Amino acid sequence: MQLAHYLHGLRRFWPVVAAGAVIGLIFAYGFLKLTMLDQASADVAILDPMSGRSTNYNEAQVTFDSIIKSETLAEKVSLVVNEDPATVRNDLSVTVATNLNPNNPSPLYVVHGRDHGVSRAILLVNTAIGEGRKLYVSLNAANTAAYQATIDVEAKAASDNLTAAQAALDDFASSNNAVDLPGRLATMTALADAGSSSAATERDRLEKLQSQYAGLAFAVQAAQARAQTVATEGESLKMAELLPTSAETKVLDPAAEEGQALYVALVYALGLVTGAAVGLAVVYGLMFTGRRPATPAEVAAALGAPVLVRIPKAAQ
Amino acid sequence: MSHAIRNGKGARSAQSAHGELTADDAAGAQGEAHEQAQAPAVAPTLSKPFTEGFRLLALDIDHLLQGSPNRSVLVMSALPKEGRTTTAAGLARAFAEVATPVALVDANPAAVIGSAPVAGQPYEVISPWATYDTQAEVVDYVRLVLESGRSAGATVVIDVPPATTSSLGFFLAPLVGGVLYVMRTRRTPDATFAAAVRSQLDLLGVKVLGVVVNEG
């Protein structure tokens, strides 16, 4: 079929195209009527724990968008908004606001909620954000139980070791009359140098005990250092337990109605274009299937010449 | 018609001895030779409007070509089986009644009409494809026939293949006095072919005499 012929058909059947466009608009209206829900959205700023407390945080993270789309959150929210969890999950969505810094680990999430009525949509979004923040905090809090148990064992061992080393030193000192051996040795040395023979004798005795005393004293110092290290690890673990706090999730913009004019315009445009396209196709089909033979007048007009004669059937 | 070639290839009588169109002529309305081969042995009686239509056509064309030294008509159609050969034969027959001499050039390679001389035949049938094999040779030969006919004061009717299957008609059209376009009712699909033919003829500067409507 030539284009000119088709255009001729369009001039003839243009109401079909117009009707297709109108039907497309009607379908778009019906589609919106059946499916369109009021929509609300809120912006939530998340301070990523890795950037907030990067030195002590070692646990795996669950992102806020995953929480918003989770079944757990849907179940919690459904209890508030009186919907089934599947509907809540379907009506909730989350996007990440564009950020000029591609390396920013603390994104701004936009939570969208749809429901029948603006107030219900806002309620849905606010409830989702509230429950989401709780889940975010609880899920991303460090689980220190295992670490704490290990540290407790090490702390007890260090304490026992320190106690044993200190007892050994004390026993050695008391049994050998060598309490504060370094101080007493310095004193006896000074007296011996002054000519005291008894001090010289005591100095010699203490010098014989010095190496064994030094060994026991070092063991005490080592046990003390170990106990201090374990205590420091315990403090660090307690710091990690504090993360993340509610300070890491902040509602930047509370839930408000979200305009859907663009969506509505797109649906109507799609209906219009689709309807018109179907109309054009129908016209093509009409032209293709309903082609009638040309009349002599049409052929004469196309040739710009008159019909000279009509020749009837040859035989009677 | 000194250039006329009389060749027996596909020979078939074009006219009856008493000057009326025969069944063979009329069967040309079916358009093709293979259908002619199945024509009934007993000629049907031709209707008077049929023969009168060609007489009227000959009168019109005679009037349209009045004063023109080139009294030649090319009969063309866009598609096969539109009655082109019937029209050419009928027109030659009718011309023979009003303006002799008349020659019918069967430039259709299907050689529907044939060129065997028939006693009492009022016009001469020339079949160039019986002698020549290429389109260029046929065009040259028809040009000679037309010049010869012009000098003899003859009327020449040329039957050519359909425009959608051969360009021969367009090669010959500028040589003739005018073109007759044949259409068949209930068969010609639409007027776009006619418009395309007209565009091409305009480009060649050819005069379109008119349309023959075949209602057969």
Side-chain angles (χ1 to χ4, degrees), chain A residues 97-167:
Chain A
T98 53
N99 195 318
L100 294 177
N101 182 3
N103 297 319
N104 183 6
S106 300
L108 180 66
Y109 292 99
V110 183
V111 179
H112 308 272
R114 303 184 310 156
D115 209 332
H116 297 285
V118 176
S119 60
R120 283 190 59 81
I122 290 175
L123 173 66
L124 179 66
V125 171
N126 283 334
T127 307
I129 289 174
E131 296 296 335
R133 292 175 72 185
K134 292 177 190 172
L135 275 175
Y136 182 79
V137 170
S138 64
L139 289 172
N140 287 305
N143 182 7
T144 60
Y147 291 134
Q148 190 64 56
T150 304
I151 288 173
D152 287 346
V153 170
E154 288 189 9
K156 186 174 185 310
S159 175
D160 291 347
N161 192 25
L162 177 59
T163 302
Q166 189 63 53

Side-chain angles (χ1 to χ4, degrees), chain A residues 86-100:
Chain A
T87 304
V88 169
R89 198 174 182 188
N90 188 49
D91 290 343
L92 276 175
S93 61
V94 60
T95 56
V96 177
T98 53
N99 195 318
L100 294 177

Side-chain angles (χ1 to χ4, degrees), chain A residues 31-48:
Chain A
F31 175 79
L32 289 173
K33 199 74 177 172
L34 287 175
T35 64
M36 188 174 167
L37 300 171
D38 292 301
Q39 189 159 315
S41 66
D43 298 337
V44 181
I46 302 296
L47 177 63
D48 192 281

Side-chain angles (χ1 to χ4, degrees), chain A residues 291-292 303 306 308 311 314, chain B residues 47 188-190 198 211 213 215:
Chain A
R291 293 173 74 176
R292 57 176 177 75
L303 280 167
L308 295 178
I311 305 298
Chain B
S47 67
T188 302
D190 54 51
R198 176 68 199 216
V211 179
V213 179
E215 295 179 336

Side-chain angles (χ1 to χ4, degrees), chain A residues 187-260:
Chain A
T187 303
M188 290 304 132
T189 301
L191 291 173
D193 290 344
S196 172
S197 61
S198 61
T201 303
E202 180 64 11
R203 181 197 62 192
D204 293 343
R205 188 185 70 86
L206 292 175
E207 281 180 348
K208 288 178 183 174
L209 296 173
Q210 189 178 15
S211 63
Q212 194 173 357
Y213 183 89
L216 291 170
F218 178 77
V220 170
Q221 288 176 351
Q224 286 175 333
R226 177 59 186 157
Q228 183 62 42
T229 301
V230 172
T232 303
E233 288 180 355
E235 291 296 324
S236 298
L237 195 58
K238 286 177 181 172
M239 288 294 291
E241 277 185 322
L242 297 176
L243 293 176
T245 67
S246 60
E248 269 70 47
T249 59
K250 299 174 182 175
V251 178
L252 190 63
D253 295 318
E257 183 181 6
E258 196 172 21
Q260 300 183 82

